[in-house]
Amino acid sequence: MSQTTPAQINFEGKAVDLPVMKGTLGPDVIDIRKLYAETDAFTYDPGFTSTASCESKITFIDGDKGVLLHRGYPIGQLAEKSSFLETCYLLLHGELPTAAEFEPFENSITRHTMLHEQFDKFFSGFRRDAHPMAIMTGAVGALSAFYHDSLDIHDLKQREISAHRLIAKMPTIAARAYKYSVGQPFVHPLNKLSYSENFLRMCFAVPAEEYVPNPILTKAMDRIFILHADHEQNASTSTVRLAGSSGANPFACIAAGIACLWGPSHGGANEEALNMLKEIGTPERIPEFIAGVKARKYKLMGFGHRVYKNYDPRATVMKQSADEVLEAVGDKNDPLFQVAKELEKIALNDEFFIERKLYPNVDFYSGITLSAMGFPTTMFTVLFALARTVGWIAQWKEMIEDPGQKIGRPRQLYTGAGQRDYVSISQRG
Ligand code: CMC
């Protein structure tokens, strides 16, 4: 990170030099850390539209060009050539693994997939109709009550074990949340299967029948996991970092990330996007729906992004996956896919969307794909959480391992009442 000529701010007659930091890629960053001490003023940026909250070496996004890189590798190449577990290694360690490095990593993840037997009692405490994200939030937080030997965040080995445990156990917890909601017995992990095969089997196998993994669906699942693995300092990742900055244990921090992801503006959008497509139903109803968006009655879910002002590169891969999965399950002419493609075409040519640089994001086609694979809409955000766990944990680790790390503590512009004296209740009126 090289330095350049400082920026200068003039405030109440005083000029303050602010260092400018340069990253490998992306905009320069004005370092305002000493601004308050020198000017007695804060900066104001709710929603963090102009604020870099940390330094990171993990993921880079150029929203104008539609570029997403993990440790320098373009997402399209990873989705096509890598596997989810290899991408996990890359995110955690900074480099693609050699065969000798990958084997023990895969082995460790595979051997941490089981849950403590007593953990299963948590699931039966929930109502059968509980949203699986509610179950995930509770269950993942509860991991800290079971794995006391990996809670010391200052111990490198314990950090590694908790990272492996989280990546390994998320599919088991997610599959149990699903099985519980449909009243089917839990399926235990099977070590001879790959990460994605194992997850699909834990979701869809039943004791009465032999489960045969479908290679096209397995590949699609793995690719969906890669596409969701990390995304820089988004809301849930920032939540994980903020929770972790106080020294909270990793299981608690990831539970906080899951809670944040659940919102419809973030990970919850995939569920909302499919519900929207179902509501539109047929291509003929698209103009009426678009009119409602323009009248600001609702948003076009799966469109728009805080950072991408171009096509989300993940959406390109996701659209292709939707095509392959629909073909594999014999649903090539799925009416919702037709509605989605037509909706995309119309929106991309409409002035309202062009002006605001609104393009499809990863969630636009993921719902159709997951639905064709057999997942109910309520599971969509769960799958996002499962995949994003590695990103959260890589970002959490990076923060903990940064010697300059401080507790996150934003300030505010206070607009409430000035100081006043307490009045007893009998004298108020
Ligand atoms: N449909 C209609 N109008 C929209 C949409 C949309 N999906 N997204 C933004 N706009 C409009 C917004 O109303 C505003 O218009 P105006 O300037 O006239 O007031 C303008 O575009 C700028 O929007 P913004 O709200 O300032 O943008 P933002 O960066 O704060 O919001 C967003 C980003 C993702 C929250 C928003 O685009 C959105 O709500 N999209 C739908 C939900 C969605 O698909 N979320 C998934 C994001 S990708 C997965 C993930 O990372 O979680």
Side-chain angles (χ1 to χ4, degrees), residues 122-422:
F122 275 98
F123 295 95
S124 52
F126 286 97
R127 285 169 51 134
R128 293 267 178 197
D129 61 355
H131 195 292
M133 279 300 276
I135 300 181
M136 292 302 285
T137 317
V140 173
L143 286 174
S144 34
F146 283 81
Y147 300 102
H148 298 138
D149 60 342
S150 59
L151 296 182
D152 181 357
I153 61 162
H154 304 294
D155 179 330
L156 181 86
K157 191 69 201 162
Q158 293 197 32
R159 286 203 296 275
E160 184 178 297
I161 295 171
S162 58
H164 289 195
R165 279 189 170 139
L166 275 157
I167 296 166
K169 293 183 198 304
M170 282 297 276
T172 318
I173 298 174
R176 273 161 163 62
Y178 170 61
K179 284 297 198 194
Y180 183 70
S181 72
V182 289
Q184 290 181 3
F186 294 159
V187 177
H188 291 289
L190 193 59
N191 285 354
K192 67 175 184 187
L193 298 181
S194 72
Y195 189 86
S196 294
E197 273 174 339
N198 213 356
F199 176 61
L200 289 173
R201 179 178 165 275
M202 287 193 285
C203 286
F204 298 122
V206 286
E209 276 176 35
E210 196 189 335
Y211 178 80
V212 184
N214 175 328
I216 297 177
L217 300 192
T218 305
K219 186 174 162 223
M221 188 78 267
D222 208 63
R223 204 185 255 175
I224 289 171
F225 289 158
I226 294 174
L227 293 181
H228 289 87
D230 191 47
H231 212 229
E232 207 224 63
Q233 308 310 321
N234 55 82
S236 57
T237 302
S238 299
T239 301
V240 170
R241 278 190 179 254
L242 197 56
S245 77
S246 73
N249 75 67
F251 302 110
C253 296
I254 302 306
I258 294 172
C260 178
L261 185 77
W262 194 1
S265 295
H266 194 5
N270 50 17
E271 191 175 335
E272 299 288 328
L274 194 80
N275 290 338
M276 175 196 76
L277 292 175
K278 281 184 187 159
E279 217 174 291
I280 299 173
T282 60
E284 299 76 60
R285 294 201 52 214
I286 293 174
E288 178 195 336
F289 177 81
I290 296 270
V293 174
K294 289 184 186 173
R296 293 165 194 282
K297 287 190 194 155
Y298 37 76
K299 279 188 172 174
L300 174 50
M301 300 310 282
F303 254 67
H305 198 274
R306 170 60 62 78
V307 181
Y308 293 119
K309 300 302 167 198
N310 202 324
Y311 212 98
D312 179 342
R314 302 169 301 173
T316 319
V317 184
M318 193 56 87
K319 190 175 178 183
Q320 190 194 329
S321 273
D323 238 337
E324 288 170 13
V325 167
L326 289 170
E327 169 112 46
V329 300
D331 227 351
K332 211 166 174 253
N333 296 318
D334 173 52
L336 293 189
F337 195 36
Q338 305 312 321
V339 172
K341 286 200 280 195
E342 191 58 24
L343 183 56
E344 176 189 334
K345 213 187 299 163
I346 292 175
L348 290 180
N349 287 299
D350 189 300
E351 213 34 56
F352 178 91
F353 296 91
I354 296 170
E355 236 174 55
R356 290 169 179 77
K357 299 190 176 163
L358 299 172
Y359 292 85
N361 61 49
V362 68
D363 289 329
F364 194 65
Y365 287 106
S366 65
I368 293 169
T369 319
L370 294 172
S371 177
M373 290 171 80
F375 290 104
T377 45
T378 52
M379 278 297 286
F380 294 176
T381 316
V382 170
L383 301 182
F384 193 156
L386 187 171
R388 182 56 57 84
T389 295
V390 65
W392 289 330
I393 206 86
Q395 302 266 354
W396 171 83
K397 254 173 99 288
E398 185 178 65
M399 179 193 65
I400 298 289
E401 288 162 14
D402 175 355
Q405 185 262 327
K406 277 176 184 286
I407 186 168
R409 177 52 168 99
R411 302 305 300 267
Q412 62 174 8
L413 171 66
Y414 176 70
T415 53
Q419 183 169 333
R420 47 187 168 163
D421 290 325
Y422 181 83

